[in-house]
Amino acid sequence: MQYNPEPAQYDAIIQSITDYVFDYEVTTPKAWKRARIALLDSLGCAIESVPACASFIGPVTRGASAPSGFPLPGTPYVLDLLKACFDFGSLIRYLDHSDAFPGAEWGHPSDNIGAILPVADWLSREGSDVTMRDVLEAIIKTYEVQGCFQLKNAFNKVGIDHVILVKVASAAVTSKLMGLSRAETNAAISQAFADGQPLRIYRQSPNTSPRKGWAAGDACMRAVHLVLMTRSGQPGFPTVLTDPKWGFYHSSFGGNPFVLPVPFGTMVVENFFTKLVAAEGHGISGIEAALTLSKQLYGRLDTVRSIRIRTTEAAMTIIDKTGTLHNAADRDHCMRYMVAVALLKGDWPCAEDYADDSPWVRDPRVDALRGKMTMEEDGQMTRDYHDPKMGKGAAALLVTMVDGTVLDEVLVERPVGHPWREDTAARTKDKFVELTNWVFHDPSGFWEECMREEMANMKVKDWMESVVGQQKAKVQSEMELESEMVNSRVMYRL
């Protein structure tokens, strides 16, 4: 059944998202370059996560393959659109190695790529002339929509998870990709706001669970399904935000309207934080400080009396944990665990270090060090964290020895992966090569090819075929894939 367009005018913020998606012209070379990096980094994170997600990726009906389906990277699976969005979005995010952007709400703009790439590939295989330039533009715009909302709107304060913004941003750009009108795009965005939003409970102790890894995939799938429903003729809700009784502001946001402090542009894609470490982002400064201290403390960690960690309010909210850590999802969201492992290991934590069978989980020295740590918010660090002009995500470690000696405090303000650090781009390529080397024939060459401007002119299906063509023969067999999943070095037993 078809419905006529709604006569009422949509809420202003919904219209501003639609206007940005349809009208804004991306002109800065930096934005296009960073979008390429975002795409490749997300692809690397997805391939890294394949073994960890073995139990739920792939077709619902075993052995099924979808016509015009999406070839899920790092696997032999060819999936229908909605399962592809769920699986690819989950793979990008699952091991907490994908990019991030700060604000009143911390989030991960690359989550949206889990919707963008499968939709664009599906359209391309169905005969559309969609190109990788369209994909890159969609990436830039989802990053901007999500990130600008994150700056001043704390969904965590009302218990809602930040993947609501993935749903909203992905609905907006995939509406345009699918050829929906402005009115239909407004309707699709309103559907995303009207959808039941996930609680943040799966990110917070004592309920931290693996769902934090697949929540983004779920949001990608929901966004695309809602766009498909809108395309079929389903109407939207013009006052979904502002209705005085039933709207989102009143029912779900404490009666407060959204605040967008800057106009939509390309700020977010140009300034997102690259996760070069498999760790919750607010802990990376603390880990880097711990690595500096590990050199001074080598061979005498047992003589440490206390470790004080100064950090931001966001870190206190998300990764300030004591007591028993129940699973890998708990450990990679615990500042004390990450710092303890870094001190003992003298190196960056990796995905295996959080797994239930990791030797660090059974090492009594980890809990002994955790017990000596205290965490406290530093108000200036919090203010600088929320100030885009400062661009800081600081943490500082102060160690006191049993003899009363106090070591110099180690402060890290812009940790490894920060967009302002000169080594970030090169190290992101190194990360990509490391994460995909077990699957790709020539990951370094593939990276270089994709960083060339000509890549933007490729049809999406051709680019996806180049991804498949990079894959070693062992991932083309489902049975061999399952064997790889069992034996992989990145297995999470959650």
Side-chain angles (χ1 to χ4, degrees):
M1 180 177 182
Q2 296 291 319
Y3 293 84
N4 293 324
E6 303 82 4
Q9 189 174 55
Y10 274 84
D11 288 325
I13 281 185
I14 291 178
Q15 293 186 65
S16 71
I17 296 171
T18 297
D19 289 345
Y20 167 68
V21 168
F22 275 79
D23 296 336
Y24 187 84
E25 183 179 356
V26 179
T27 59
T28 64
K30 183 178 180 180
W32 291 111
K33 179 179 179 180
R34 293 274 289 173
R36 286 178 169 82
I37 291 173
L39 174 63
L40 292 170
D41 184 54
S42 298
L43 178 61
C45 291
I47 288 173
E48 178 191 26
S49 298
V50 166
C53 299
S55 64
F56 61 80
I57 60 172
V60 174
T61 302
R62 184 178 176 84
S65 184
S68 302
F70 178 71
L72 188 66
T75 81
Y77 302 134
V78 178
L79 302 176
D80 70 86
L81 178 59
L82 295 182
K83 191 59 164 65
C85 291
F86 180 87
D87 285 6
F88 192 48
S90 299
L91 288 174
I92 291 169
R93 185 74 201 104
Y94 200 76
L95 292 180
D96 212 345
H97 214 168
S98 56
D99 63 27
F101 189 76
E105 185 65 58
W106 177 266
H108 310 278
S110 55
D111 291 351
N112 295 280
I113 296 173
I116 293 167
L117 192 58
V119 166
D121 179 66
W122 169 66
L123 292 169
S124 183
R125 293 176 191 278
E126 289 286 296
S128 169
D129 59 359
V130 61
T131 67
M132 290 306 295
R133 183 178 182 86
D134 298 310
V135 170
L136 296 173
E137 179 181 333
I139 289 171
I140 292 167
K141 291 183 175 180
T142 52
Y143 272 54
E144 191 72 3
V145 171
Q146 178 169 340
C148 286
F149 269 92
Q150 285 178 211
L151 289 174
K152 295 293 183 181
N153 302 288
F155 293 89
N156 57 79
K157 298 295 185 184
V158 293
I160 295 176
D161 191 36
H162 51 67
V163 295
I164 179 180
L165 297 176
V166 178
K167 201 182 301 183
V168 170
S170 288
V173 300
T174 58
S175 290
K176 185 186 178 188
L177 285 172
M178 290 192 208
L180 273 64
S181 67
R182 288 174 184 265
E184 290 170 322
T185 301
N186 286 336
I189 296 169
S190 76
Q191 289 280 2
F193 277 118
D195 210 35
Q197 310 304 339
L199 299 180
R200 190 180 167 83
I201 191 167
Y202 47 76
R203 297 190 194 275
Q204 301 294 145
S205 181
N207 294 291
T208 313
S209 84
R211 181 166 179 167
K212 72 181 181 64
W214 55 262
D218 186 54
C220 291
M221 179 179 66
R222 289 294 301 154
V224 173
H225 187 219
L226 292 171
V227 173
L228 292 171
M229 291 299 292
T230 303
R231 192 174 74 157
S232 77
Q234 293 296 308
F237 319 106
T239 58
V240 66
L241 299 178
T242 60
D243 186 275
K245 184 174 182 180
W246 306 110
F248 185 88
Y249 292 156
H250 176 76
S251 66
S252 302
F253 212 58
N256 300 307
F258 293 139
V259 176
L260 295 177
V262 295
F264 295 132
T266 59
M267 179 267 296
V268 177
V269 79
E270 293 181 16
N271 290 281
F272 67 83
F273 179 82
T274 302
K275 289 271 200 83
L276 298 177
V277 185
E280 200 285 327
H282 297 92
I284 295 176
S285 292
I287 297 170
E288 190 167 343
L291 289 179
T292 299
L293 284 166
S294 69
K295 300 177 179 67
Q296 301 177 53
L297 295 172
Y298 180 77
R300 57 190 187 118
L301 281 169
D302 58 340
T303 64
V304 169
R305 175 188 294 169
S306 65
I307 302 173
R308 185 194 71 186
I309 304 173
R310 287 193 297 127
T311 188
T312 62
E313 179 191 24
M316 296 297 294
T317 298
I318 300 169
I319 53 176
D320 178 18
K321 292 180 182 178
T322 58
T324 302
L325 302 174
H326 300 286
N327 52 46
D330 233 359
R331 294 178 200 109
D332 71 18
H333 270 53
C334 176
M335 173 76 93
R336 291 171 177 84
Y337 182 87
M338 293 184 287
V339 167
V341 170
L343 286 170
L344 290 163
K345 186 179 180 181
D347 200 355
W348 297 99
C350 55
E352 304 97 304
D353 296 332
Y354 306 114
D356 289 348
D357 60 354
S358 166
W360 299 115
V361 174
R362 301 184 300 275
D363 192 325
R365 296 176 299 169
V366 172
D367 279 345
L369 281 172
R370 287 179 62 211
K372 296 177 181 181
M373 296 180 198
T374 58
M375 290 179 62
E376 60 185 54
E377 180 193 354
D378 183 291
Q380 188 60 50
M381 287 182 178
T382 296
R383 288 187 289 275
D384 289 346
Y385 170 83
H386 289 295
D387 183 352
K389 294 180 181 179
M390 298 301 292
K392 293 181 179 179
L397 271 60
L398 181 70
V399 174
T400 302
M401 309 302 288
V402 293
D403 64 1
T405 302
V406 180
L407 304 186
D408 290 342
E409 185 180 57
V410 178
L411 169 66
V412 176
E413 294 184 313
R414 298 181 182 93
V416 61
H418 193 284
W420 297 3
R421 285 178 56 152
E422 292 183 0
D423 62 345
T424 294
R427 294 184 69 166
T428 305
K429 178 186 175 182
D430 293 342
K431 171 189 171 184
F432 176 81
V433 171
E434 179 182 356
L435 297 187
T436 60
N437 193 52
W438 69 285
V439 169
F440 277 12
H441 291 289
D442 181 17
S444 179
F446 184 77
W447 175 282
E448 293 301 331
E449 285 294 320
C450 291
M451 291 305 295
R452 297 175 61 184
E453 291 187 9
E454 292 82 358
M455 169 265 206
N457 299 322
M458 293 181 70
K459 293 181 179 180
V460 179
K461 65 178 182 181
D462 293 338
W463 188 81
M464 284 304 306
E465 289 305 315
S466 75
V467 172
V468 173
Q470 274 286 331
Q471 294 181 174
K472 298 175 183 178
K474 64 181 178 181
V475 301
Q476 303 307 321
S477 162
E478 187 167 343
M479 292 189 66
E480 289 179 5
L481 174 70
E482 290 172 351
S483 176
E484 186 76 30
M485 289 168 178
V486 171
N487 295 300
S488 171
R489 63 180 179 83
V490 295
M491 172 65 76
Y492 258 10
R493 292 184 175 90
L494 293 178

